[in-house]
């Protein structure tokens, strides 16, 4: 377009270049003036030409006076469509939900809520089943069968970082469980719409216990808890007379009645009648709506330090155990190792740990589990600065991953680095290192008798 | 002034010449500039392209890339202020790429050294056999008919460029965890790039080799792409069929050996036996992988040699087709190209038929009636660009996931409300005799998971 214009203008200047000379031959009195005029005209034409050149050059380089091309328009349309799809995926709207959720009646304060049909003879039923099914024993190779249960909401997190750390978290659990022969159930379904949120683990645990009689221990673990000691194994022999293993401090529990005396982010339930009964006793504060709200008020009133919010499973369990102390005879409050390790006091010390200690200890020297309470990467806002949470989670993940990669001869280039470097050269006899470094073979797995 | 030297008339002519010359020059410059601006000249390209190139190089150092295909961008632009970045509690405001710190430098590789995936091992069968004898607690067969299998998959250690990519990776690994739990298979989820030269689709080769050598107890290694999902939870791979074979891939003999078609087989889901033969195959497979000139040149060769292959750098699948077709005598007798069930099932022809399958068939078939694996080739949910429309890919991945998940949930008495819905509903009333409830698909306690009871 500009080209034609330029040529037009170019052709229009050429004939006129002769004009001043021609013009100067007309009248004598006008000779000086007309020459001036023609000179001025010439100058103007040249100025216009230069101006044109400048504009074209500018347009060619910077897109001065932008006109969006067809390509851009198409891109815009695609971006808008994609944003619409992403927003739809992220929203909780279900295409097949004809009824509004508001129409669903919530359980009123007078109704009693039950987790399921009452079962009273689970121990006998289970023993019978195990006898009939000898090829699904509850003890394999001398170790009781454990099922690790974890989960996350069925939809995408509020932001992409959350899903990425859920992925890293499940990889971390897969690694630990592969090394220690534990099976994993990753739940993404809300089995009971009353018990939503953190309460969702209760119907899930119950369901899994009843469907898998061969499982001796059900181990619930939050999605924001990471294994940081890949060698440490649970000292199950310590718990032969107990049915619930949970991390906490007895003095905080009984003396101070603190709402953080125990942590329900990582605990074990034995598959037995006692556990079913405890779950039944635990559930009533859970149903969402007025029940949960009222229960929340009771808990805040009775537990030290608890802020005012609806009932959560941890406070409810603490309250249950301190009011009905007969449950405590089968509860083991563990704090000799970090079955749950609060992250803030641990994450800065990883380098010091790597220098001074070794995996297998499970305690403050080399924590078994680092639990990122309060970070909430799947939501929009956490209780701590994002930078601190995410860098700490990345460090914990890499700290654990180094222990896994050791067998393969690699480690991370720093606890914040996703890249790895070689720590052992390739060899034609790799099996010597397998014997030395594989946690399952080398006897590094702690045979715990205390 | 010039009047005195060459005469007034000459002066006027000279001045006219100068003026004409000026105008001509100007027009010439104008023409050149316009031409260059529109058409590009020689190898320099248009000024706009130059500017883009400069911008790109600059951006590269800041870790960004621009590519010329359709773009999937985040809805919210990240608002960063240097002061609040460290103290914000809002995840939407945080740029994850600022988090990663590589403490040590890349190891500079000697460019003259030819690529080697590892030192040549020639007696792996003997070494492994010896090890298995010395370690009877780690047998390579968990049951007389069932070898020990390690399923290997993986993804990048950095967050996906697509904001929902990580969510689909999470669903995909959950799907694999479920299948592998039922079938007694172990999983290795890789998030580490073992060899920087073998990046991209070639990254599986050094990983597979490393895992074979580090896990002698594993009999079969099952590589599965992160965009492949199990859709038949009841189907058990027919291991006895492969007792004399070392490599099982989905494909067709005619398409590979006769036609040399680049999609005659699929390396998104395959089984590889842990033995010397496999190490030798990896040694022959790897040389086309190192990125840069080698991969590009190899890509040209493969496009030339294989049928219908588009022009792009060498990929592991085309390389495998070429190796099998050109070295048939060496490898073919130990390779099984399976097509009686969908060890890899191209999603395009399967996902619309799920409802029909539910109505007419049942799990356990593994084939076109109820596919074992639905593989979302080309969707690339983790990246910014796929080969198919975003909506179709993501919605169908949800459907495939729910289709598989229904078979898991039915063990516990639940099912999804529909194939598009995340919500579940119970399928039976809660019973006070849970052990008498019939396990229809037999997935809770299947025969292939039975533990050999030793008298002790």
């Amino acid at each position: 377009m500009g080209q034609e214009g330029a040529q037009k203008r170019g052709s229009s200047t050429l004939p006129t270049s002769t004009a001043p000379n021609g013009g100067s031959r007309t009248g004598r009195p006008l000779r000086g003036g007309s020459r001036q005029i023609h000179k001025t005209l010439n100058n103007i034409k040249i100025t216009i030409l230069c101006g044109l050149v400048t504009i074209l050059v500018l347009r060619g380089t910077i897109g001065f006076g932008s006109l969006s091309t067809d390509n851009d328009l198409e891109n815009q349309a695609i971006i808008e469509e994609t944003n619409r799809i992403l927003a739809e995926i992220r929203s909780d709207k279900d295409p097949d939900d004809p009824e509004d959720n508001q129409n669903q009646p919530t359980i009123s304060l007078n109704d009693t809520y039950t987790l399921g049909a009452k079962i009273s003879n689970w121990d006998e039923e289970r023993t019978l089943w195990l006898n009939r099914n000898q090829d699904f024993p509850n003890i394999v190779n001398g170790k009781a069968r454990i099922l690790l249960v974890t989960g996350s909401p069925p939809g995408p997190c509020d932001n992409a970082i959350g899903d990425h750390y859920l992925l890293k978290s499940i990889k971390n659990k897969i690694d630990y469980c592969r090394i220690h022969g534990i099976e994993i159930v990753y739940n993404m379904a809300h089995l009971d719409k009353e018990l939503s949120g953190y309460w969702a683990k209760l119907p899930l645990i119950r369901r899994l216990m009843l469907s898998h009689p061969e499982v001796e221990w059900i181990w619930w673990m939050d999605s924001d808890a990471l294994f940081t000691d890949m060698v440490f194994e649970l000292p199950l022999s310590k718990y032969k007379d107990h049915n619930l293993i949970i991390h906490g401090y007895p003095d905080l529990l009984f003396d101070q009645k603190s709402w953080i005396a125990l942590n329900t982010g990582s605990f074990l339930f034995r598959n037995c009648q006692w556990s079913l009964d405890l779950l039944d006793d635990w559930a009533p504060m859970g149903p969402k709506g007025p029940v949960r709200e009222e229960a929340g008020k009771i808990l805040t009133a009775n537990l030290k330090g608890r802020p005012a919010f609806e009932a959560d499973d941890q406070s409810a369990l603490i309250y249950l155990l301190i009011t009905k102390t007969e449950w405590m005879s089968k509860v083991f409050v563990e704090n000799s190792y970090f079955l749950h390790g609060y992250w803030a006091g641990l994450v800065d010390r990883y380098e010091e740990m790597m220098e001074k200690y070794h995996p297998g200890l499970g305690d403050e020297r080399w924590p078994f589990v680092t639990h990122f309470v309060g970070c909430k990467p799947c939501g929009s806002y956490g209780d701590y600065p994002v930078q601190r949470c995410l860098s700490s989670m990345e460090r914990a993940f890499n700290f654990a991953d180094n222990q896994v990669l050791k067998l393969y001869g690699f480690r991370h280039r720093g606890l914040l680095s996703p890249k790895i470097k070689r720590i052992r050269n390739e060899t034609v006899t790799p099996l010597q290192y397998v014997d030395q470094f594989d946690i399952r073979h080398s006897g590094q797995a702690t045979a715990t008798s205390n | 002034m010039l009047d005195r030297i060459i005469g007034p008339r000459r002066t006027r002519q000279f001045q006219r010449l100068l003026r004409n010359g000026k105008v001509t020059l100007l027009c010439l410059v104008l023409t050149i500039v316009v031409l260059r601006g529109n058409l590009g000249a020689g190898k320099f390209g248009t000024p706009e392209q130059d500017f883009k190139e400069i911008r790109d190089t600059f951006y590269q150092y800041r870790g960004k890339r621009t590519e010329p295909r359709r773009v999937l961008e985040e809805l919210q632009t990240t608002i960063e202020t240097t002061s609040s970045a460290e103290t914000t509690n809002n995840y939407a405001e945080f740029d994850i790429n600022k988090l990663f710190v590589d403490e040590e430098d890349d190891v500079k590789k000697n460019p003259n050294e030819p690529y080697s995936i590892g030192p040549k091992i020639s007696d792996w069968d003997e070494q492994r056999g010896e090890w298995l004898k010395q370690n009877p607690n780690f047998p390579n067969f968990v049951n007389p008919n069932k070898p020990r299998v390690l399923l290997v998959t993986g993804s990048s250690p950095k967050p996906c460029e697509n904001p929902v990519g990580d969510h689909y990776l999470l669903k995909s690994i959950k799907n694999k965890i479920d299948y592998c739990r039922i079938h007694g298979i172990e999983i290795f989820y890789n998030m580490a790039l073992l060899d920087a030269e073998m990046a991209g689709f070639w990254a599986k080769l050094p990983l597979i080799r490393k895992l074979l050598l580090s896990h002698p107890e594993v009999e079969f290694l099952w590589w599965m792409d992160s965009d492949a999902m199990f859709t038949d939870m009841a189907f058990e791979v027919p291991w006895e069929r492969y007792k004399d074979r070392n490599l099982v891939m989905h494909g067709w003999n005619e398409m590979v050996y006769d036609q040399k078609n680049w999609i005659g087989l699929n390396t998104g889901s395959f089984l590889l036996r842990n033995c010397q033969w496999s190490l030798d195959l990896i040694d022959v497979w790897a040389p086309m992988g190192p990125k840069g000139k080698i991969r590009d040149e190899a890509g040209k060769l493969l496009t030339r040699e294989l049928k219908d292959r588009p022009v792009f750098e060498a990929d592991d699948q085309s390389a495998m087709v070429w190796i099998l077709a050109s070295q048939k005598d060496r490898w073919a007798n130990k390779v099984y190209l399976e097509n009686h069930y969908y060890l890899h099932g191209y999603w395009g022809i399967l996902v619309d038929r799920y409802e029909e399958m539910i109505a007419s068939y049942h799990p356990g078939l593994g084939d076109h009636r109820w596919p074992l694996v639905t593989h979302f080739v080309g969707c690339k949910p983790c990246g910014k660009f796929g080969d198919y429309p975003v909506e179709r890919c993501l919605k169908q991945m949800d459907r495939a996931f729910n289709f598989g998940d229904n078979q898991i949930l039915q063990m516990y008495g639940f099912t999804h409300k529909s194939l598009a819905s995340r919500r579940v509903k119970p399928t039976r009333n809660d019973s006070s005799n849970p052990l008498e409830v019939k396990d229809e698909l037999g997935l809770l306690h299947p025969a292939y998971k039975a533990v050999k009871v030793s008298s002790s």
Side-chain angles (χ1 to χ4, degrees):
Chain A
M1 175 195 85
Q3 204 171 350
E4 298 155 9
Q7 278 181 348
K8 261 191 234 153
R9 287 201 178 82
S11 56
S12 66
T13 50
L14 287 170
T16 59
S17 61
T18 58
N21 288 329
S24 65
R25 293 205 194 120
T26 49
R28 280 190 89 188
L30 293 173
R31 188 173 48 174
S34 62
R35 202 188 292 156
Q36 285 251 338
I37 290 171
H38 286 296
K39 222 192 267 179
T40 319
L41 270 174
N42 243 11
N43 284 344
I44 290 172
K45 278 166 198 157
I46 289 177
T47 314
I48 291 173
L49 252 177
C50 291
L52 204 67
V53 172
T54 317
I55 290 172
L56 277 168
V57 167
L58 273 175
R59 229 191 132 242
T61 51
I62 310 176
F64 177 72
S66 65
L67 300 167
S68 59
T69 62
D70 280 335
N71 212 23
D72 284 340
L73 284 174
E74 197 187 299
N75 268 355
Q76 266 303 108
I78 290 175
I79 290 172
E80 274 162 21
E81 197 220 344
T82 312
N83 289 338
R84 180 185 64 75
I85 297 166
L86 289 179
E88 201 182 299
I89 291 176
R90 288 229 179 100
S91 79
D92 209 19
K93 239 176 346 119
D94 207 44
D96 295 302
D97 237 3
E99 333 123 32
D100 269 357
N101 274 337
Q102 289 93 0
N103 289 347
Q104 298 280 330
T106 52
I107 293 192
S108 79
L109 291 172
N110 289 333
D111 295 340
T112 45
Y113 171 81
T114 53
L115 270 178
K118 180 83 185 130
I119 300 176
S120 340
N121 57 348
W122 180 238
D123 289 334
E124 295 80 20
E125 291 283 317
R126 190 172 167 244
T127 316
L128 271 176
W129 188 94
L130 285 170
N131 283 332
R132 274 198 319 261
N133 293 273
Q134 296 271 342
D135 42 3
F136 287 92
N138 59 335
I139 301 199
V140 179
N141 287 336
K143 282 167 33 174
R145 207 191 281 261
I146 305 177
L147 180 67
L148 186 106
V149 184
T150 184
S152 62
C157 290
D158 289 348
N159 65 85
I161 297 177
D163 282 307
H164 182 69
Y165 280 95
L166 283 175
L167 187 66
K168 286 190 141 145
S169 168
I170 188 58
K171 168 189 157 60
N172 170 277
K173 294 181 175 83
I174 289 174
D175 285 332
Y176 181 86
C177 292
R178 181 184 63 250
I179 293 171
H180 294 273
I182 297 174
E183 292 190 329
I184 303 178
V185 168
Y186 193 94
N187 181 51
M188 275 174 128
H190 289 134
L191 297 187
D192 187 331
K193 59 183 188 305
E194 298 296 331
L195 292 183
S196 59
Y198 16 64
W199 287 95
K201 61 181 79 122
L202 266 71
L204 177 65
I205 292 174
R206 182 181 190 272
R207 183 73 263 155
L208 289 172
M209 270 197 226
L210 298 176
S211 300
H212 291 285
E214 75 279 9
V215 165
E216 182 66 21
W217 291 99
I218 300 244
W219 184 354
W220 168 266
M221 205 158 152
D222 275 358
S223 59
D224 55 1
L226 292 176
F227 284 106
T228 33
D229 189 336
M230 288 294 175
V231 175
F232 186 84
E233 225 171 63
L234 292 173
L236 291 176
S237 51
K238 250 169 104 169
Y239 312 130
K240 55 182 167 40
D241 297 323
H242 296 89
N243 296 334
L244 170 60
I245 322 299
I246 187 164
H247 186 274
Y249 302 96
D251 54 325
L252 277 182
L253 181 62
F254 296 115
D255 306 337
Q256 298 196 37
K257 301 193 189 340
S258 161
W259 81 296
I260 48 170
L262 303 176
N263 189 284
T264 53
S266 173
F267 61 88
L268 289 103
F269 257 121
R270 192 187 289 275
N271 191 353
C272 58
Q273 181 64 46
W274 183 97
S275 302
L276 293 175
D277 296 336
L278 180 62
L279 285 169
D280 282 338
D281 238 11
W282 188 3
M285 285 193 166
K288 67 178 191 226
V291 174
R292 211 186 278 188
E293 300 289 330
E294 285 306 310
K297 293 183 189 145
I298 298 174
L299 294 171
T300 306
N302 284 297
L303 298 178
K304 177 170 174 244
R306 187 181 193 272
F309 67 111
E310 57 178 16
D312 65 304
D313 59 314
Q314 179 172 303
S315 313
L317 182 66
I318 292 172
Y319 183 70
L320 178 65
L321 294 180
I322 55 182
T323 47
K324 295 191 185 170
T325 49
E326 60 269 18
W327 289 113
M328 285 308 297
S329 60
K330 293 284 187 181
V331 175
F332 194 111
V333 179
E334 176 66 83
N335 48 38
S336 63
Y337 61 90
F338 280 132
L339 180 59
H340 139 86
Y342 175 57
W343 65 282
L346 298 170
V347 293
D348 298 312
R349 296 180 29 232
Y350 286 143
E351 280 86 358
E352 178 199 324
M353 291 173 194
M354 289 196 290
E355 221 179 304
K356 291 200 211 157
Y357 304 115
H358 57 87
L361 303 168
D363 52 21
E364 71 281 347
R365 295 169 295 171
W366 199 286
F368 182 37
V369 170
T370 304
H371 186 189
F372 289 87
V373 251
C375 273
K376 303 179 202 156
C378 196
S380 302
Y381 288 88
D383 301 339
Y384 302 93
V386 168
Q387 160 83 9
R388 174 120 177 91
C389 266
L390 294 186
S391 63
S392 306
M393 287 171 81
E394 188 68 25
R395 280 165 56 82
F397 174 80
N398 289 337
F399 179 72
D401 202 30
N402 279 346
Q403 298 167 51
V404 176
L405 292 175
K406 193 168 170 192
L407 169 61
Y408 309 113
F410 290 92
R411 72 168 169 79
H412 284 262
R413 286 193 211 164
L415 289 184
L416 276 176
S417 172
K419 295 191 183 166
I420 57 174
K421 66 178 267 212
R422 206 176 269 285
I423 53 173
R424 223 168 44 231
N425 285 331
E426 295 283 338
T427 160
V428 293
T429 52
L431 293 174
Q432 49 173 320
Y433 296 119
V434 167
D435 289 329
Q436 200 181 340
F437 292 113
D438 192 336
I439 298 170
R440 287 179 293 183
H441 312 317
S442 61
Q444 283 180 30
T446 51
T448 52
S449 54
N450 186 23
Chain B
M1 180 189 66
L2 281 171
D3 284 5
R4 283 184 248 131
I5 303 172
I6 47 177
R9 200 160 158 264
R10 286 292 176 84
T11 314
R12 269 202 302 273
Q13 274 181 345
F14 185 63
Q15 279 173 344
R16 208 186 302 162
L17 192 71
L18 269 179
R19 237 189 337 259
N20 282 347
K22 252 191 270 179
V23 175
T24 312
L25 205 66
L26 257 171
C27 291
L28 190 70
V29 169
L30 185 68
T31 314
I32 290 176
V33 163
V34 167
L35 272 176
R36 191 148 185 274
N38 289 343
L39 302 176
K43 58 176 172 152
F44 296 113
T46 65
E48 200 180 317
Q49 289 175 11
D50 287 345
F51 185 69
K52 248 194 243 167
E53 252 170 47
I54 294 172
R55 194 176 52 185
D56 287 355
T57 341
F58 190 61
Y59 273 17
Q60 239 172 24
Y61 291 115
R62 290 175 52 196
K64 285 199 200 167
R65 295 192 308 273
T66 59
E67 282 163 279
R69 309 251 313 259
R70 73 178 165 80
V71 169
L72 195 78
E73 277 178 26
E74 175 60 82
L75 184 66
Q76 305 151 329
T77 52
T78 53
I79 311 155
E80 292 169 22
T81 56
T82 44
S83 57
S84 71
E86 283 173 22
T87 54
T88 177
N89 284 24
N90 185 346
Y91 282 96
E93 286 176 8
F94 188 76
D95 179 8
I96 185 75
N97 287 311
K98 288 188 165 173
L99 193 64
F100 302 122
V101 172
D102 297 330
E103 270 169 35
E104 290 149 50
D105 292 327
D106 277 324
V107 172
K108 287 278 176 276
K109 197 187 168 324
N110 183 351
N112 295 327
E113 244 176 70
Y115 177 76
S116 155
I117 199 168
K120 177 95 184 119
I121 300 180
S122 323
D123 59 343
W124 178 238
D125 289 333
E126 291 80 20
Q127 284 192 46
R128 185 172 173 250
E130 189 56 39
W131 188 93
L132 285 170
K133 251 196 286 188
Q134 286 168 3
N135 290 273
N137 286 335
F138 296 93
N140 57 334
F141 273 79
V142 294
N143 268 335
N145 292 328
K146 194 171 157 64
R148 191 188 295 264
V149 181
L150 180 68
L151 186 114
V152 184
T153 184
S155 63
S156 161
K158 292 198 174 169
C160 287
E161 289 180 2
N162 178 342
V164 285
D166 282 300
H167 179 68
Y168 286 92
L169 284 175
L170 186 68
K171 283 173 107 156
S172 174
I173 187 58
K174 170 194 155 57
N175 169 279
K176 295 180 175 85
I177 289 174
D178 286 331
Y179 181 90
C180 293
R181 182 180 65 252
I182 292 173
H183 291 265
I185 295 175
E186 294 186 328
I187 302 179
F188 187 88
Y189 195 94
N190 182 52
M191 272 179 148
L193 182 62
L194 267 62
D195 190 338
E197 281 190 82
M198 302 283 270
F201 16 64
W202 289 94
K204 60 176 81 113
L205 262 72
L207 174 67
I208 291 175
R209 185 177 190 273
K210 175 58 79 176
L211 288 171
L212 289 176
L213 297 178
S214 307
H215 291 285
E217 73 278 6
V218 166
E219 181 64 22
F220 266 107
L221 192 146
W222 187 345
W223 167 267
M224 204 157 154
D225 277 357
S226 59
D227 55 1
M229 288 209 215
F230 283 105
T231 33
D232 188 339
M233 294 295 176
F235 184 85
E236 170 79 353
V237 170
W239 303 106
E240 320 76 59
R241 198 183 296 180
Y242 312 129
K243 62 178 165 45
D244 296 322
R245 306 292 182 132
N246 296 336
L247 172 59
V248 182
M249 292 178 287
H250 185 271
W252 297 268
N253 284 322
E254 320 75 55
M255 282 182 78
V256 171
Y257 298 115
D258 303 333
Q259 289 182 34
K260 296 200 182 124
N261 194 323
W262 80 296
I263 48 170
L265 50 80
N266 188 286
T267 53
S269 171
F270 63 87
L271 302 162
L272 188 66
R273 193 184 290 273
N274 191 352
C275 59
Q276 181 64 46
W277 183 97
S278 303
L279 294 178
D280 295 338
L281 179 67
I282 293 175
D283 284 339
V284 170
W285 196 4
M288 283 191 167
K291 67 178 188 215
K293 195 155 171 290
I294 300 178
R295 207 186 282 189
D296 294 331
E297 292 297 316
K300 292 183 190 148
L301 183 143
L302 292 171
T303 304
R304 231 177 21 239
E305 296 285 328
L306 302 178
K307 179 167 181 265
D308 291 344
R309 187 182 192 268
V311 177
F312 66 110
E313 56 179 15
D315 64 307
D316 58 307
Q317 181 172 305
S318 311
M320 176 57 82
V321 175
W322 188 74
I323 290 171
L324 291 185
S326 54
Q327 300 178 36
K328 185 173 178 183
D329 302 326
R330 187 172 172 195
W331 306 108
N333 64 334
K334 290 289 186 183
V335 175
Y336 195 108
L337 292 179
E338 175 69 81
N339 46 49
H340 287 109
Y341 63 90
Y342 279 130
L343 181 59
H344 138 85
Y346 170 59
W347 67 286
I349 53 173
L350 296 171
V351 290
D352 298 307
R353 296 180 31 232
Y354 286 145
E355 280 84 1
E356 178 201 318
M357 293 175 193
I358 294 174
S360 321
Y361 304 113
H362 57 84
L365 303 168
D367 52 22
H368 62 281
R369 297 168 295 174
W370 201 287
L372 172 64
V373 170
T374 303
H375 185 188
F376 288 87
V377 251
C379 271
K380 303 180 199 162
C382 190
K384 268 182 164 184
F385 332 94
D387 304 334
Y388 300 93
V390 169
E391 180 152 18
R392 177 145 168 84
C393 268
L394 297 185
K395 294 216 159 158
Q396 296 306 330
M397 286 173 84
D398 278 331
R399 278 165 52 83
F401 173 82
N402 288 343
F403 183 74
D405 200 32
N406 275 346
Q407 299 164 51
I408 302 294
L409 291 172
Q410 65 82 34
M411 290 196 279
Y412 306 116
F414 290 88
T415 187
H416 282 265
K417 286 190 175 171
S418 80
L419 284 187
S421 170
R422 293 179 209 142
R423 312 244 165 100
V424 301
K425 61 179 189 207
T427 54
R428 55 177 191 244
N429 286 330
D430 204 46
S431 157
S432 50
N433 283 317
L435 292 175
E436 283 167 27
V437 175
K438 196 170 175 317
D439 174 18
E440 283 182 15
L441 296 177
L443 296 180
L444 278 173
H445 306 101
Y448 36 76
K449 257 189 105 180
V451 170
K452 274 183 299 197
V453 180
S454 53
S455 52
S456 55

